[in-house]
């Protein structure tokens, strides 16, 4: 941690502050006197030092943290790639690119089983589908809830595909434990710390979506919440961020793929459906994601998008999903991987 | 709802779509044929029409919603200002500007009672203080939780000040019911719909903070979640949004004050402490908020900011709170109100 | 153009407004009376109607434009892809992906010729290099200016590579005419309309970079400025936008590639160097760009990045450029194109 | 400047880098060895050190600048407030708040003189009005140009009000010299460095608007461009920034007022008309600006807003300008100033 002092700070002041830091936190302070500016370089376990409190010192001008605040998710602590096994043989983060596909919402037994069969046939190895649906409007369809979860489980039994589905309330964790293979934490809940902490107590994989206005550092801090509980099976998911551009629903932050892979050892997947918000962008964004190094994709596919109960605009039909899979395969090969 | 069709759409296609809309939703469709472009103006209860599904029609180019999606929070439905009474005589939204003050976190019995007495003396009429603290890092102080809530209640008994404090998990609602006078929903939970729905089942006031990357329309939709449950005691709180500017922690969206007052009948308060993120911005931002028409302020005040367990940088000392109150009073008078 | 009227607007008011619109602009007005809301659908050449003036009508609530404001750049008016020939055989927008490469700034005769030879050898077909450098600080190196332009021209004569270089002031156009093959308009000048208008008077290709906070619509409107002067040789360049994320210098808006290709017939290239701001992001972003459908790339390559006079952090060495070209070739093949 | 080295950097590497920094830039390097991380604190004139070049060192992890890059605009170098005299007795930055008012565009002799008389009567002391109008669309009204400038000059002769008007091209500087009292640099030209440099060669005041996506540091660097030429008469103008919020045209960054006053000694004015983009927001935003400490306002007033040739939606009528002036006066008094 680097503390920049204001011009004209006295030596007494600096001595006093250094003494206090040492006493309070066991920190050793190196004073570097420059032309016009003095900086204090703090050495020791500075994670505990309260930056806010230091900023109250009337002679402190600015503070810079030198160490990243996430530890367990940090690649420095764990240089090898982590792989997360969602089900036997379905591993995220290895050579094989994993495609998770399915409808935005589970709507009926027929629908979810039909979609599951079709996406499996095209090469998807995980079934996605929403049972609890967080919606901006209280007047929109909120999902089939427990019934939806049950239907996902039936689709799993029918097809063998492991299931990833969104959880929005810690009180439902027990219910989910036997019915799905991977929890999904949605963008709006990325900083629902109560939920993250309780998921950290399980050992089931967590697909953590980046909040649409969260930095990559905050994203990794949320992964850290889950990992700090002992659950290291975290999959990071970039799904578009909020910017001033209104043509697309969100702006897919494609740079997040190489950056997250560099900062962290956790696997990274991309959601091209929510990022663009419209079906014709799914294929180009999916291809870009794989080209940039993503370990997987989560894609919305619907048997009848025009009559979907939610997010129909961005869902692929069976035909367009098939085409998308074909193009993805080519890109995967071009980067030395396979689908 | 206005549906813009692509060039070259046939009359048959339009007839078919119009018929389907009528059958499915009871909507009447007016077709307006322009030079090059045909638009359909949908008349009826278009709230139920799924915009996403319509976008799947290959001939649909764009869709514009004409009606705002929030109803209960909408000033059109309720032209008079709503006032929310937090405690007998403490009314938000009337002539009197309400100042809520207190520490970021409750730290001890002595601390919270001391701060409560001081802020009351200076004219604050509500005590704020955090018991459950959502923090970006799992390694930061997370609040005293139930003990903190109890201490707030003691401070209330000691000073008579009603208490507003943040709730992060629906399972704690019962616990909060007797110990505070107003729930606070933090920015990170503005779209925690499970929490909002359950707060809508109570009749206790809810101070709803705007998410740091949420539009004003989304903000009002979250108010709508609470109101749809029957709880109309919602207070809107602008606390800064996330932008590209890094000098300030957030960018206080001062325009939100006149805009929210125009769109909605709900009272609007401003949090100048979180917006700027540093103590010396609190006073100018507080004055700006009142000048722009805010009904109240929520301000962090600490007995010893340099040793606060959270957010010390932005907390006011007793002295600076006193000065701030003096300036606020002058601005309140200048806009025909009082503190 | 759709005009939404406020509740309670009288028929007289609507008649009066319709009459005025007809008289003033020759517009025909269709009145659609809904439940609670009346909308006016304006038919005719609404491009001339001043939206701002209409908003002054106290009964007008909101206005939506139905037609895109750009015409010449619009794919509707010109369904086939446009190709821009920078030099004989160097065509942007065809099957072949064009790579433009070179240093951020021209620094010396030796440097620019050496870089030109190396990038040509690796398959680049256009030489980029800055002579006039717009820098945030007046104390930074501002480019070799006319001398730099001359050196670029020498590198062209030596290698045959056509040259693209940035112009910042209309008064230099004449100077550039004989010394380069394509003007570059930088992000900061995307709305320097005086410059765009004068470039529209030439017939030399213009590589127009998207402003870092401009929407795609504004971007196309700037292309329209050049095209309206008669110069249709415009190449669009996405180079990252400004968002709240601070880890990357800018956020590459990868969605802009499919969106711009859909909205417009103009070719689209991507600048992965400025987007990420650091050398190790160039390769993954370049691959993503080609996968998403870009027609070309503009990449910074330096003979000695550690001692570059500007933007050294993001420049590739000869070795890393070679690796990048190899990967790009594979992706190009995977999408049915070639480098 | 602080350079954070990667884990495992050898002492030889650090010695070599330190030696090079010393030789190249005359910088003295202090090495601070922490637990796991080594940082180099660079002492001396680090303004010349190329951060980008240093980032190329494979062992360098991150770099933090300790000193702000602007010097002449920096309050550290110039603790007293600067005042800028636009005309005899019209001083920006003193006790008196200066209101600049007038139409977006000059449209005719009658119009500009009529508006000038009215705004003067209400207490405005500077006349604003656009002659050259930068517009997003090439098909919109582009201003009366030289004729508009002449008409502004006539309005000045008629009323005595000094004139501020926008310049978009350095080639027009001479023309403006005798016809206006203050140059305005618009948001889109805030980083048109060619223009700024040439304005720096004059001694006429420059009202510099913040670019809608520029940080406050970049804003001050642009002021530095003008000041570095010897022209210290720079007035900073906050006019709203671009964010994800679409209800308002821009988001007025009210915090910029206290921040800019703290970072710099230059006077700060606010443009509430462009920030909100609609007439009914002008008054609350103007009041907020004065409450937050602004030294002046620039407000659009039109004799007939509904028929204005540009930006009619945000222009005040004479009546609403009068009301606004009345409220501003009250706020000015409440903060110990006067209009």
């Amino acid at each position: 941690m680097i503390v920049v002092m204001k011009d004209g700070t006295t030596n007494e002041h600096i001595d006093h502050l250094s003494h206090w830091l040492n006493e309070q936190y066991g920190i050793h302070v190196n004073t570097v006197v420059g032309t016009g500016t003095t900086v204090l370089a703090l050495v020791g376990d500075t994670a505990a030092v309260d930056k806010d409190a230091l900023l109250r010192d009337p002679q402190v001008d600015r503070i810079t943290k030198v160490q990243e605040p996430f530890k367990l998710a940090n690649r420095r602590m764990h240089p090898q790639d982590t792989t997360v096994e969602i089900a036997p043989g379905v591993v995220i983060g290895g050579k094989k690119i994993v495609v998770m596909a399915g409808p935005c919402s589970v709507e009926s037994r027929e629908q979810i089983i039909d979609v599951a069969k079709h996406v499996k046939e095209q090469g998807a190895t995980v079934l996605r589908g929403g049972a609890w649906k967080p919606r901006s409007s209280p007047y929109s369809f909120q999902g089939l809830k427990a019934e939806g979860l049950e239907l996902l489980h039936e689709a799993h039994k029918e097809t063998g595909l492991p299931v990833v589905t969104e959880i929005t309330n810690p009180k439902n964790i027990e219910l989910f434990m036997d019915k799905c293979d991977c929890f999904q934490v949605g963008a709006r809940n990325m900083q629902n710390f109560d939920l993250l902490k309780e998921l950290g107590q399980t050992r089931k994989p967590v697909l953590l979506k980046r909040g649409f206005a969260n930095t990559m550092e905050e994203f990794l801090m949320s992964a850290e919440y889950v990992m700090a509980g002992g659950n290291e099976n975290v999959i990071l998911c970039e799904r578009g961020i909020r910017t001033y551009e209104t043509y697309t629903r969100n702006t897919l932050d494609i740079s997040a793929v190489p950056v997250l892979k560099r900062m962290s050892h956790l696997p990274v997947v991309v959601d091209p459906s929510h990022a663009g918000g419209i079906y014709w962008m799914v294929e180009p964004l999916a291809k870009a994601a794989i080209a940039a190094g993503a370990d997987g994709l989560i894609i919305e596919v619907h048997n009848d998008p025009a009559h979907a109960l939610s997010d129909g605009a961005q869902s692929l039909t069976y035909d367009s999903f098939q085409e998308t899979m074909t193009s993805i395969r080519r890109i995967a090969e071009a980067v030395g991987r396979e689908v």
Side-chain angles (χ1 to χ4, degrees), chain A residues 181-209:
Chain A
D181 304 274
C182 181
F183 294 111
Q184 179 181 316
V185 176
R188 290 190 185 85
N189 280 310
M190 193 204 87
Q191 293 195 318
N192 184 337
F193 304 119
D194 282 18
L195 179 60
L196 299 177
K197 277 182 211 167
E198 301 206 25
L199 293 173
Q201 297 306 314
T202 76
R203 292 299 173 267
K204 198 183 272 299
V206 175
L207 178 85
L208 179 64
K209 288 196 159 186

Side-chain angles (χ1 to χ4, degrees), chain A residues 6 37 54 64 97 162 333 336:
Chain A
K6 285 188 186 151
T37 311
L54 267 179
T64 303
I97 282 163
E333 259 172 64

Side-chain angles (χ1 to χ4, degrees), chain A residues 115-133:
Chain A
V115 175
K117 284 179 177 166
H118 269 85
V119 300
K120 184 182 179 185
E121 215 172 282
Q122 299 304 333
T125 53
V126 181
L127 175 65
R128 59 145 293 152
W132 275 263
K133 298 297 309 169

Side-chain angles (χ1 to χ4, degrees), chain A residues 222-258:
Chain A
S222 284
E224 193 84 9
Y225 259 99
V226 178
M227 296 172 87
N231 184 356
E232 305 209 333
N233 299 304
V234 179
I235 303 154
L236 304 171
C237 178
E238 161 64 30
R239 42 78 72 208
I241 61 172
R242 186 160 271 189
T243 69
Y244 66 84
E245 176 61 67
T246 53
Y247 191 94
T248 43
R249 187 157 68 175
N250 293 286
T251 298
L252 180 66
D253 183 4
I254 193 75
S255 315
V257 177

